Amino acid sequence: MAAVSAPRSSKTESYIDNKRKEDIRHANIKAACAVADAIRTSLGPKGMDKMISTASGEVIITNDGATIVNKMEVLQPAAKMLVELSKSQDTAAGDGTTTVVVIAGSLLKQCLTLLSSGIHPTVISDSLHKASIKAVDVLTAMAVPLELTDRDSLIKSASTSLNSKVVSQYSSLLAPLAVDAVLTVVDPAKPDLVDLRDIKIVKKLGGTVDDTEMVRGLVFDKKVSHAAGGPTRVENAKIAVIQFQISPPKTDIEQSIVVSDYAQMDRILKEERNYILGMIKKIKATGCNVLLIQKSILRDAVTDLSLHYLAKAKILVIKDVERDEIEFITKTLNCLPIANIEHFKVEKLGYADLVEEVSLGDGKIVKITGIKDMGRTTTACSRRDQYRNQCEEGADHEYFGGERGAASACQYKCHDTGNRVCPDVIEDR
């Protein structure tokens, strides 16, 4: 008789491979730690500057954490999180971008040791969350009240923020300038909301940092369009910001018109002159004597003929104003942009005591001062030499680090305890 086989067990053993999970987790932590190690040596007053060469061949020398991580081409997802962390810190406080990355990297490195000991990641995550709550309590207990009227404490905070920057030796100049700029744009009713886009920094090659100044008004890094002999200085200015072109219209579709009759050519030129002259008469009828013309990509914003007629009408012209500057300009001048000549009304104009072209360095700028009912904005004219311009182009928030440091002092809040700042920050250095 054949042997009876033993019944097969219904329970089967399964093998779960956890090594791959651990390898991925370790790889993510090591990638994030690599980013932290890259900028660790730039932390603090004695931190070393980094020389960064971009893909376009541009060379930037900086020790600002946000600038360094922004220029790094990070592909690993976990490392990208540290880059976003630095950006968030830069947006929220304006300073401490290197510190948050270094602290996060150190915590992750310690987490690697805990994971090797067999502690579950969820337990580690919950513990770090409890530690962060305790850290906030400690900082709140250390902090002292800070009022926006206490200008001296704000200047000390800005000076502390500048200590680790390239321009630390100019902190006595830049810190008061930065604090005054922020206090100009801050709303006393909402001191924790400071929009740094209301502070415009105009960079001008030539001179030194000592020549940097804050202008209560507007500054344009361009000269007046006086090719036809127009004015370069206007007092009691009535300013219009226009978004239409003072030039002959073009067809909606691309086509060419051939005119062989001289009489018809003269008629076309006469119609162009009448068209432009009619527009300028409407502008002059409102009393406008300063025109800010938005840059146009469809056709020329102004022509030589229109500039000639504007010069005859004694209207100062600043052309090629960038589209992204229109909002700041209209907010400063307390006026409205005009998109069509038919909407050119007196109530849409801005008013200022003086508009003038000023020589600065190797070039010229246009200043608008004494603005009536000026909005909560300010302009800082930053002077720099050619070396500093090459090294720090694109790192404006480092060059004016005190400005952002003052903003962080104005913005910093711990729960409901009001405006507070750590005593070390306001220590006189």
Side-chain angles (χ1 to χ4, degrees):
M1 294 178 64
V4 179
S5 59
R8 183 173 297 179
S9 175
S10 60
K11 294 183 179 180
T12 58
E13 294 183 0
S14 59
Y15 174 72
I16 300 175
D17 185 9
N18 291 323
K19 191 173 187 315
R20 180 170 174 78
K21 293 181 183 178
E22 295 176 0
D23 290 344
I24 294 174
R25 196 177 291 128
H26 288 192
N28 288 338
I29 293 177
K30 288 179 180 178
C33 291
V35 174
D37 292 337
I39 65 173
R40 188 185 302 275
T41 55
S42 63
L43 179 65
K46 296 185 178 180
M48 295 181 290
D49 297 340
K50 304 292 185 189
M51 180 180 288
I52 305 171
S53 178
T54 63
S56 60
E58 181 185 13
V59 176
I60 298 174
I61 298 177
T62 179
N63 67 349
D64 181 69
T67 304
I68 295 171
V69 296
N70 278 335
K71 297 299 181 181
M72 293 171 63
E73 297 180 359
V74 180
L75 300 177
Q76 217 278 344
K80 279 186 177 180
M81 290 186 65
L82 285 191
V83 176
E84 295 301 322
L85 175 66
S86 181
K87 290 181 181 179
S88 299
Q89 175 71 12
D90 193 37
T91 303
D95 197 20
T97 52
T98 306
T99 304
V100 294
V101 175
V102 172
I103 291 176
S106 299
L107 290 174
L108 287 173
K109 190 173 292 184
Q110 296 302 317
C111 289
L112 201 59
T113 305
L114 296 175
L115 288 171
S116 302
S117 302
I119 301 176
H120 196 274
T122 306
V123 177
I124 299 174
S125 177
D126 292 341
S127 302
L128 288 175
H129 179 66
K130 292 178 181 178
S132 67
I133 296 175
K134 181 63 177 177
V136 171
D137 293 339
V138 172
L139 290 174
T140 305
M142 293 172 57
V144 294
L146 178 66
E147 298 295 336
L148 293 181
T149 54
D150 189 0
R151 184 172 177 269
D152 292 338
S153 296
L154 291 175
I155 291 175
K156 291 175 184 178
S157 300
S159 299
T160 303
S161 179
L162 276 170
N163 280 342
S164 61
K165 307 300 179 186
V166 177
V167 289
S168 57
Q169 64 269 33
Y170 298 103
S171 59
S172 59
L173 167 69
L174 293 181
L177 187 148
V179 171
D180 292 338
V182 174
L183 292 179
T184 301
V185 302
V186 69
D187 185 358
K190 300 177 181 178
D192 56 329
L193 296 176
V194 179
D195 190 355
L196 293 185
R197 290 175 295 184
D198 292 336
I199 302 173
K200 181 182 178 184
I201 301 175
V202 177
K203 298 169 291 184
K204 191 65 179 176
L205 192 63
T208 63
V209 180
D210 293 323
D211 300 322
T212 299
E213 61 176 339
M214 188 178 72
V215 179
R216 182 71 174 148
L218 277 174
V219 176
F220 294 93
D221 187 15
K222 56 189 70 179
K223 58 184 180 181
V224 173
S225 299
H226 49 73
T232 59
R233 176 186 170 92
V234 173
E235 296 182 359
N236 298 320
K238 297 180 179 179
I239 308 166
V241 180
I242 64 173
Q243 296 177 302
F244 59 87
Q245 297 81 28
I246 309 179
S247 59
K250 288 186 177 181
T251 56
D252 294 334
I253 60 176
E254 185 177 353
Q255 61 180 354
S256 58
I257 301 173
V258 179
V259 181
S260 56
D261 187 0
Y262 287 107
Q264 294 295 330
M265 293 173 62
D266 291 340
R267 182 181 175 185
I268 292 174
L269 293 174
K270 183 178 179 180
E271 289 296 330
E272 286 185 358
R273 287 196 296 269
N274 291 338
Y275 177 81
I276 294 174
L277 193 56
M279 295 178 72
I280 294 175
K281 284 182 178 178
K282 290 181 179 180
I283 294 172
K284 189 64 178 177
T286 62
C288 172
N289 51 17
V290 176
L291 267 186
L292 306 179
I293 305 176
Q294 179 179 305
K295 190 174 184 179
S296 174
I297 59 174
L298 299 177
R299 67 177 195 262
D300 294 335
V302 287
T303 62
D304 291 339
L305 183 61
S306 59
L307 285 175
H308 171 73
Y309 284 136
L310 288 168
K312 291 289 185 182
K314 302 297 181 184
I315 297 177
L316 186 147
V317 179
I318 303 173
K319 62 179 183 179
D320 294 337
V321 177
E322 295 295 338
R323 182 185 298 270
D324 55 1
E325 295 179 359
I326 295 296
E327 182 180 357
F328 179 85
I329 292 170
T330 53
K331 183 176 181 179
T332 303
L333 294 175
N334 195 21
C335 66
L336 295 174
I338 305 172
N340 192 290
I341 185 63
E342 300 301 329
H343 303 153
F344 208 103
K345 307 295 182 182
V346 178
E347 54 268 19
K348 293 188 176 182
L349 301 181
Y351 301 88
D353 293 338
L354 180 63
V355 179
E356 62 176 341
E357 184 182 74
V358 181
S359 297
L360 194 65
D362 296 334
K364 294 182 178 180
I365 62 172
V366 179
K367 280 187 178 182
I368 301 178
T369 54
I371 299 173
K372 182 180 178 182
D373 298 328
M374 180 176 170
R376 289 185 178 276
T377 62
T378 189
T379 304
C381 187
S382 170
R383 305 294 300 280
R384 55 180 67 179
D385 53 31
Q386 186 174 2
Y387 169 75
R388 192 177 297 278
N389 189 65
Q390 291 174 348
C391 291
E392 297 185 5
E393 188 73 30
D396 297 329
H397 61 280
E398 174 192 357
Y399 190 68
F400 261 72
E403 194 165 294
R404 304 182 68 86
S408 76
C410 294
Q411 287 177 303
Y412 183 74
K413 272 198 166 187
C414 287
H415 297 295
D416 297 326
T417 55
N419 294 329
R420 293 174 178 270
V421 67
C422 180
D424 291 339
V425 174
I426 61 173
E427 179 184 351
D428 191 1
R429 306 210 173 196

